[in-house]
Amino acid sequence: TQLLEQSPQFLSIQEGENLTVYCNSSSVFSSLQWYRQEPGEGPVLLVTVVTGGEVKKLKRLTFQFGDARKDSSLHITAAQPGDTGLYLCAGVWSGGGADGLTFGKGTHLIIQP
Amino acid sequence: GAGVSQSPRYKVAKRGQDVALRCDPISGHVSLFWYQQALGQGPEFLTYFQNEAQLDKSGLPSDRFFAERPEGSVSTLKIQRTQQEDSAVYLCASSFDRGFYEQYFGPGTRLTVT
């Protein structure tokens, strides 16, 4: 069974602070995605990374894919209350297997005004 | 355009009842996925369709779970003889083509089994 571990599980910080959340596996991904989910809604795709070492930016969010394609990070600069939500990473492994995405358990992020 | 829709949004079932959950994917999307999300957890894959063909059902937790997509569009997830451990949010996602890029999720159906 392929596992994706996300850390921290919970994070509560003040508006304006910076933060980083992590997604790790012992296996190599062929691609990895980050989603954000708000209560009562489905996950919304933020970014897909494919190439080892790849960095993508989405406004104040910076996504990095590890060189070995086993890990990824999401960095948020100057967090705002609107960033509050559940951040999920989801991967597809190089070895194939099930056709669906495998998700981590998520990081519950709360940005306090 | 319209996104993925799911109905009902909430369902309360007594233990032992059968339930049917509906998913309307984005028009023209070939691939359709069902996921189960327990409270406070990430979604877990249940099953995958490419058009009307169910290509992967490895995530279905028991033979009480059954999914279909007879015309390659709308899909139904059926749970027979519901148990309390079936309580979860059931998410449907669709994508334009086979593969894992750009999956669009519906809002989910929250199932509570009492």
Side-chain angles (χ1 to χ4, degrees), chain A residues 33 37 40 98-99 101 105, chain B residues 9 35 37 41 56 98 100:
Chain A
Q33 299 179 332
Q37 185 177 24
D99 285 280
L101 292 168
K105 292 186 177 182
Chain B
R9 290 294 312 273
Y35 295 85
Q37 187 173 24
Q41 304 293 315
D56 188 342
R98 180 168 187 167
F100 317 103

Side-chain angles (χ1 to χ4, degrees), chain A residues 64-88:
Chain A
Q64 187 160 7
F65 201 15
D67 291 340
R69 305 202 333 264
K70 292 184 177 182
D71 58 88
S72 181
S73 64
L74 159 59
H75 182 79
I76 301 179
T77 303
Q80 299 177 1
D83 296 328
T84 293
L86 175 65
Y87 288 82
L88 296 157

Side-chain angles (χ1 to χ4, degrees), chain A:
Chain A
T1 301
Q2 313 286 14
L3 290 176
L4 271 172
E5 295 194 3
Q6 290 191 243
S7 61
Q9 189 175 356
F10 297 96
L11 183 60
S12 178
I13 62 172
Q14 295 295 121
E15 181 177 1
E17 294 184 6
N18 302 331
L19 67 107
T20 302
V21 298
Y22 300 92
C23 176
N24 296 285
S25 175
S26 58
S27 301
V28 176
F29 301 113
S30 60
S31 67
L32 185 140
Q33 299 179 332
W34 284 93
Y35 289 82
R36 177 166 164 260
Q37 185 177 24
E38 297 190 50
E41 300 295 329
V44 175
L45 179 65
L46 297 173
V47 77
T48 301
V49 287
V50 179
T51 306
E54 184 175 3
V55 176
K56 284 191 173 180
K57 292 192 174 183
L58 184 65
K59 297 183 180 178
R60 294 176 293 100
L61 279 60
T62 302
F63 304 85
Q64 187 160 7
F65 201 15
D67 291 340
R69 305 202 333 264
K70 292 184 177 182
D71 58 88
S72 181
S73 64
L74 159 59
H75 182 79
I76 301 179
T77 303
Q80 299 177 1
D83 296 328
T84 293
L86 175 65
Y87 288 82
L88 296 157
C89 64
V92 179
W93 272 271
S94 297
D99 285 280
L101 292 168
T102 298
F103 283 84
K105 292 186 177 182
T107 293
H108 296 263
L109 177 63
I110 297 174
I111 309 301
Q112 301 185 25

